[in-house]
Amino acid sequence: MPSAPVAPAPTAPAPARNPVRQLLAASVGNAVEWYDWYAYTFLAAYLARQVFPPGTGNSLVPLLSTFAVFAVGFFMRPVGGLLMGAIADRRGRRTALTATILLMGGSSLLVGLTPAYASAGVLAPVVLVTARLLQGLSVGGEFAASTTFLVESAGPGRRGLFSSFQYVSTTIGQLAASGVAALLVAVLAEDDMDGWGWRVPFLLGAVFSLAGFWIRRGAEETHRVGDAEGRRPGLLDALRQHPRASLLICGITAGGTLAYYTWTSYLPTYAELNTGIAKKDALLAGTLSLAFFGLLQPVGGLLSDRFGRKPSLLFFGVGFAVLVVPLLRLLDGSFVSLLLVQCAGMVLLTGFTSISAAVNAEIFPARVRAAGIGFPYSLTVALFGGTAPYVGTMLKELDRPGLFPWYVAVLCLVSSAVYLRLPESAHKPLDR
């Protein structure tokens, strides 16, 4: 009796037929996500005055409260990375990407509509915390889904280049948030900024999210759901089956995320607190250095495709460990010093940011890639990146601001030890 025919296992998707469209779908949506996320950072001083009870005298307590909420949002990112990553592995990358951008749009709208403490009392910080938790859920899922989507869309020898667009689009979103904040501060009186101006960027972000959702709906799926028998991965399969890979992502990310959030988000505030630079000058320097940073990313990605991932990572890790303390000591309260210090740090930081998506994606197999990246990466970002503004501000409050640069240097040195032992993956085929 002849045996029943066996159906051939479905093949994994090839690199995208229209890579430019894939880059646009990932980049536009990611830029919107990060615009919404970073608008909070650039407007932290106004949120502190409006949403939290006033401190006494020159107390930094309201600002510390604002940065504490910033950190709370980060601690939802591992949950988002796990849940949305599981959706990306079980239902496809495109499904997860459309879900994250709708969630971000709704939470941005909620921040824009948060009542002032003077009129709503304790309800004001409760609404803000709720919105920030939803933003954290969205951003954690966004990185997991968009990282895998970008790298899986790349052709041979182009994973580093495609990976760089993760931070190109992140920087565009951050740049837009910084630019909108700087423009509002420049054209509005301080009373108007306190009264209603700080809400405008968040309301714009909700509108931008709808545009990103529309673009992402037309993206090409890069992931065949399930294995050869059609079985879909469980929520914790990546952690159970690949514990070493999960720990490796934590080590790779720790120094990079602390340096990234210090240099791209907190440095203007750090300069204000420690050197007395004017708020307008700090925002302008941050905006110009971000534009420079965005232009560097594709260069870093291309170099890693040719020479490998390890040289780029070590350029960042060792460079930051050695130079972060002297760089921050060069800040003297002038616009020029802040701009030069930020740009110098951006060059070093590119060694990490331009290829982090590719490095992470090359560690995990396709079946659990999104969830495998999302949870350990987002947990590490929450522990070290999300707390950077709070730690820096707290050390200033304790009259120990000089300890903060050493904290950054030590963690970058720890990650550099991980980079030294990392196997080179730039020229190996990607599991699909």
Side-chain angles (χ1 to χ4, degrees):
M1 182 176 177
S3 59
V6 178
T11 57
R17 294 185 297 272
N18 190 341
V20 174
R21 183 176 180 179
Q22 297 291 94
L23 282 176
L24 182 65
S27 299
V28 171
N30 197 50
V32 171
E33 286 266 354
W34 289 98
Y35 165 87
D36 290 341
W37 179 260
Y38 280 116
Y40 184 98
T41 306
F42 292 118
L43 296 164
Y46 299 100
L47 284 159
R49 290 199 292 265
Q50 293 300 309
V51 178
F52 294 96
T56 58
N58 294 321
S59 172
L60 290 175
V61 170
L63 185 59
L64 278 170
S65 299
T66 309
F67 282 139
V69 176
F70 181 79
V72 164
F74 273 86
F75 281 95
M76 280 299 288
R77 289 178 62 167
V79 179
L82 185 61
L83 293 180
M84 293 296 177
I87 289 173
D89 289 332
R90 292 174 60 86
R91 302 291 179 183
R93 315 306 191 207
R94 187 175 61 181
T95 299
L97 287 172
T98 53
T100 57
I101 200 165
L102 285 178
L103 186 59
M104 179 58 81
S107 55
S108 182
L109 179 63
L110 190 57
V111 174
L113 298 177
T114 298
Y117 184 85
S119 60
V122 72
L123 179 63
V126 168
V127 171
L128 183 64
V129 169
T130 301
R132 197 62 182 173
L133 290 174
L134 293 175
Q135 284 188 327
L137 191 71
S138 174
V139 167
E142 172 68 19
F143 186 87
S146 64
T147 291
T148 53
F149 179 83
L150 273 172
V151 177
E152 289 169 356
S153 295
R158 287 291 180 264
R159 294 199 302 266
L161 175 61
F162 272 54
S163 167
S164 71
F165 278 85
Q166 178 75 27
Y167 277 92
V168 169
S169 55
T170 297
T171 302
I172 289 172
Q174 191 172 359
L175 189 61
S178 175
V180 169
L183 179 63
L184 288 170
V185 169
V187 302
L188 294 180
E190 192 73 6
D191 288 345
D192 289 332
M193 274 301 299
D194 277 329
W196 57 269
W198 65 269
R199 301 180 186 274
V200 172
F202 300 106
L203 300 178
L204 284 174
V207 176
F208 295 156
S209 295
L210 293 177
F213 169 74
W214 179 76
I215 292 171
R216 282 186 166 178
R217 287 188 63 191
E220 180 183 339
E221 182 56 64
T222 63
H223 176 57
R224 172 179 55 80
V225 174
D227 57 19
E229 288 75 38
R231 294 174 301 191
R232 298 181 179 184
L235 183 65
L236 300 176
D237 276 9
L239 292 173
R240 285 198 300 259
Q241 298 169 8
H242 305 278
R244 183 180 180 278
S246 299
L247 289 173
L248 195 58
I249 284 186
C250 294
I252 291 168
T253 305
T257 189
L258 176 59
Y260 175 76
Y261 281 100
T262 297
W263 233 253
T264 65
S265 299
Y266 179 59
L267 195 54
T269 302
Y270 177 89
E272 287 180 50
L273 293 175
N274 292 283
T275 70
I277 189 172
K279 189 185 302 293
K280 289 182 181 180
D281 288 343
L283 282 172
L284 180 59
T287 301
L288 293 175
S289 63
L290 280 172
F292 174 67
F293 181 63
L295 294 173
L296 289 175
Q297 300 311 296
V299 178
L302 285 169
L303 288 173
S304 81
D305 282 331
R306 181 165 184 177
F307 299 109
R309 315 296 188 220
K310 286 181 69 172
S312 294
L313 291 172
L314 288 169
F315 170 75
F316 152 71
V318 176
F320 241 92
V322 172
L323 294 175
V324 62
V325 173
L327 280 174
L328 290 182
R329 284 180 177 172
L330 288 175
L331 296 174
D332 60 8
S334 69
F335 168 80
V336 172
S337 72
L338 178 56
L339 180 62
L340 291 177
V341 166
Q342 280 202 279
C343 287
M346 297 302 194
V347 173
L348 295 172
L349 193 54
T350 296
F352 170 78
T353 55
S354 63
I355 60 169
S356 66
V359 172
N360 290 339
E362 288 161 356
I363 288 174
F364 277 94
R367 184 173 180 269
V368 294
R369 180 171 290 139
I373 293 170
F375 181 74
Y377 174 87
S378 296
L379 180 63
T380 308
V381 171
L383 289 172
F384 299 107
T387 58
Y390 187 83
V391 171
T393 307
M394 180 183 66
L395 289 172
K396 172 63 176 178
E397 181 80 343
L398 296 174
D399 200 28
R400 294 289 186 272
L403 293 179
F404 184 71
W406 288 104
Y407 168 58
V408 178
V410 168
L411 207 59
C412 287
L413 192 61
V414 170
S415 284
S416 296
V418 177
Y419 304 152
L420 277 172
R421 298 180 60 83
L422 193 67
E424 184 57 68
S425 58
H427 305 119
K428 295 180 181 178
L430 184 71
D431 173 64
R432 295 182 182 276

